[in-house]
Amino acid sequence: MNDGPMSGLRVIDVSTILAGPLACQILGDFGAEVIKIEHPTKADGMRGHGPAVEGVPLWWKEISRNKQTVGLSLSDPDGAALFLQLAATADVVVENFRPGTLERWGVGPEELHAVNPSLVLVRITGFGQTGPYASRAGFGTLAESMSGFAHLTGQADGPPTLPAFGLADSICGIAASSAVAMALLAREKDGRGQVVDLDLLSPIMTAVGPGPTVYQQTGVVGTRHGNRSTNNAPRNTYRTSDGHWVAISTSAQPIAERVMRLVGHPEVIDERWFAAGSTRAEHADDLDEMVGSWILARTREEVVDAFTEAGAAIAPIYSAKEIVEDAHIRETRMLTEVDDEDLGPLLQHNVLWRMSGTPGGIRFTGRSHGADTDDVLGRLGVTHERLAELRERSVIR
């Protein structure tokens, strides 16, 4: 495939769980040549992350798709020298070691830009390269906790709630792919590469919203409201008669009015408090009772059909099974099947966005440990004899 917008670019992925690998997956999906570096004897942690089928890691197959895999020890001087040689041919390097690690190995920004002044180096850490927390271990859970997300998530009388998936890492990975595009655009103007300092905390803190601004201006600290919102009502999850759940939103005033007409309570529309989302939220108990009782008397299919016909906003709450079976998701190819050498037809998330001229795509799924070491290093001019000697010393795999 050579039709992706990143076609012709070489990316070296020396990152691990999860933000960096996702950023590089996105770049690879849109045409970049991605070379995944793993330690020769300690495979990347993503290989053991999540479910597996007969020892084949499923998440690895997606997060490392479109990536060549090379086993190379950066902490060994010979491995570091090979890494610099490889970086000299690259456009982007993505890493997520603790601050100072690349410098300790002799492959930090100074050395990388000495061999390749146009290189974009993306450094992903928990808290950034500087500051009081720079040396702390950084994981998505910590960012989800410190960003305000956990504080605002959960029932009003319950504990702060963490997501059951890598939310902070995923948001950061998508942000990192955007940062790469911006750095490459800047390079088009002056020919110089640069260092991108990206922490896990900033992207999810932005996604949580303007809580710090609200506090600075008003002194108000947000609290948990379960599935409700302080900005509009009715807004909640509701159980249907056949045991399913649906969610509705009434962020727009006309939608709120359509919902209340649909559920048989048009009289509330004329109440003064109904005219704004924030005042409707003050009457959430009453509105939820009206909406919830109507929904509970009907099946999910009946509820969704009625809301859709009325032009009101609703969505069924899906499990993975229902995601896979949804006609719209299938027809629009939000999920797509890819041939995998171990598992055969493998269902994966498709590329993140659709581009009419340079669509990108999935060329192959995640590869085995060190599958492309000889090919990648051989193209740098490393001889078979040298590869054998390095492999004997576990510098490469």
Side-chain angles (χ1 to χ4, degrees), residues 166-177:
L167 179 63
D169 275 280
S170 297
I171 295 173
C172 185
I174 297 170
S177 69

Side-chain angles (χ1 to χ4, degrees), residues 10-12 33 35-37 68-72 74 78-91 93 112 115-116 372-384 386-387 390 395-396:
R10 172 174 281 185
V11 176
I12 303 176
E33 176 195 10
I35 299 172
K36 170 69 180 178
I37 304 293
Q68 302 166 77
T69 58
V70 172
L72 180 65
L74 274 61
D78 287 334
L82 283 172
F83 178 69
L84 287 175
Q85 191 176 348
L86 185 60
T89 71
D91 298 280
V93 169
L112 288 169
V115 300
N116 186 352
D372 304 290
T373 301
D374 286 8
D375 179 47
V376 171
L377 297 184
R379 281 183 276 141
L380 293 177
V382 182
T383 65
H384 291 295
R386 178 61 170 163
L387 290 172
L390 292 170
V395 176
I396 66 171

